[in-house]
């Protein structure tokens, strides 16, 4: 059985973890949209807000794929500078 203090701390931390996960998902969605439109300021803001450079949409398309397919080389380079992977496949 878990000691009462540890259980209390765990229960108090759950909403914080959920909020972090939601903020990260929002930042990833912002990153994907910014990459598709070549919006460097929004892309940088999304990365600062916690988006991952390898964020994917519901179809498995990454931000780097969006930037490349939409002909936004500066956005693609920013993602590469943020350690987006080149060897990622769709899906």
């Amino acid at each position: 059985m878990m000691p009462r203090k540890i259980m209390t701390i765990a229960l108090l931390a759950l909403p914080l973890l959920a909020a972090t996960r939601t903020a990260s998902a929002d930042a990833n969605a912002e990153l994907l949209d910014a990459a598709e439109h070549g919006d460097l300021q929004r892309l940088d803001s999304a990365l600062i807000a916690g988006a991952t450079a390898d964020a994917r949409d519901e179809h498995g398309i990454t931000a780097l794929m969006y930037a490349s397919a939409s002909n936004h080389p500066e956005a693609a380079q920013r993602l590469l500078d943020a350690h987006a992977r080149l060897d990622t496949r769709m899906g």
Side-chain angles (χ1 to χ4, degrees):
M1 198 95 192
M2 199 182 289
R4 189 176 294 249
K5 278 186 178 181
I6 293 173
M7 188 178 297
T8 302
I9 291 169
L11 290 174
L12 292 173
L14 285 176
L16 185 60
L17 292 173
T20 301
R21 195 171 297 131
T22 301
S24 180
D26 290 346
N28 285 342
E30 184 71 15
L31 180 79
L32 290 163
D33 190 63
E36 182 176 16
H37 293 95
D39 189 330
L40 301 178
Q41 188 173 11
R42 282 179 48 218
L43 193 143
D44 289 340
S45 294
L47 289 168
I48 291 168
T52 59
D54 289 321
R56 293 174 177 263
D57 69 6
E58 65 275 7
H59 305 289
I61 301 171
T62 66
L64 183 58
M65 290 174 187
Y66 275 118
S68 299
S70 301
N71 197 30
H72 297 297
E74 297 89 1
Q77 186 59 55
R78 293 267 176 100
L79 290 164
L80 290 170
D81 292 344
H83 306 291
R85 294 181 54 164
L86 280 173
D87 61 348
T88 304
R89 292 180 182 237
M90 212 171 91

